[in-house]
Amino acid sequence: MRRGVRADPVTLRTRALAATPPVETADHRPADLVDLAGLDPTIRFDIRYAGRNNFMGLKLYERPAAYLQRPAAEALGRVHRALATKGYGLLIHDAYRPWFVTWMFWEATPAESHSFVADPAKGSRHNRGCAVDLTLYDLKTGKVVEMPGRYDEMSARSYADFVGGTTAQRARRQILREAMAAEGFEVLPEEWWHFDYKDWRSYGIGTRTFTALASGR
Ligand SMILES: C[C@@H](N)C(=O)N[C@H](C)C(=O)O
Ligand SMILES: [Zn+2]
């Protein structure tokens, strides 16, 4: 969904970058973020937050990249290979997300839609490199499949158990959900496209930008 924030984007970003992530006391594994582009050449990407075609209407990432912690990335590769036997491939919209972007989402989203964005006071599982937003494409046609709702649509159509839509749309949503669950990814009840990897508690909230990740910082 393309919308656009009401706040001034430059001010919003400046405030987000100046904000402080929550302090965490638990011990975490060191981050080991893997670029998903290297996983399998047939995984496709449409990284919406690296352009303006997203619910904020803003370019939030410096480059169209997707990273996950290594065990989650390897599990996602297995999901993709399993789906190929059913005629589908994965198309990824988002994975690791720096914390300041979660702060911007929360600030710009009206309170009545806050169930569709993570509270920065807790951090998103995307910030931990353990959540992925994705859908399916048809291996024969190359086309992205229709699901019961659109990516980042803030409505009941996004609910993982929404009973509307067509039988074929619900069946494809179920194929995605089952393939992901088989490798340790749990669907978010509010969003059919969002999956949390089982070990997300083992990783801390990340603040690294995509520029820093590219240069190994
Ligand atoms: C904003 C949406 N794509 C998303 O990822 N929502 C969840 C709740 C999150 O922000 O972690
Ligand atoms: Zn998500």
Side-chain angles (χ1 to χ4, degrees), residues 18-33:
T20 311
V23 176
E24 300 190 286
T25 49
D27 275 347
H28 289 123
R29 288 189 218 166
D32 185 13
L33 290 167

Side-chain angles (χ1 to χ4, degrees), residues 62-119:
E62 311 91 274
R63 56 192 187 88
Y67 292 80
L68 283 177
Q69 303 292 354
R70 189 171 301 276
E74 288 170 355
L76 196 69
R78 291 192 293 274
V79 173
H80 182 70
R81 289 191 289 279
L83 280 166
T85 65
K86 296 186 187 311
Y88 295 106
L90 292 175
L91 179 137
I92 295 171
H93 286 308
D94 192 34
Y96 166 75
R97 180 186 303 158
W99 179 83
F100 80 91
V101 175
T102 290
W103 192 98
M104 291 175 76
F105 284 177
W106 183 261
E107 190 70 12
T109 300
E112 66 269 21
S113 297
H114 268 169
S115 59
F116 295 102
V117 288
D119 181 349

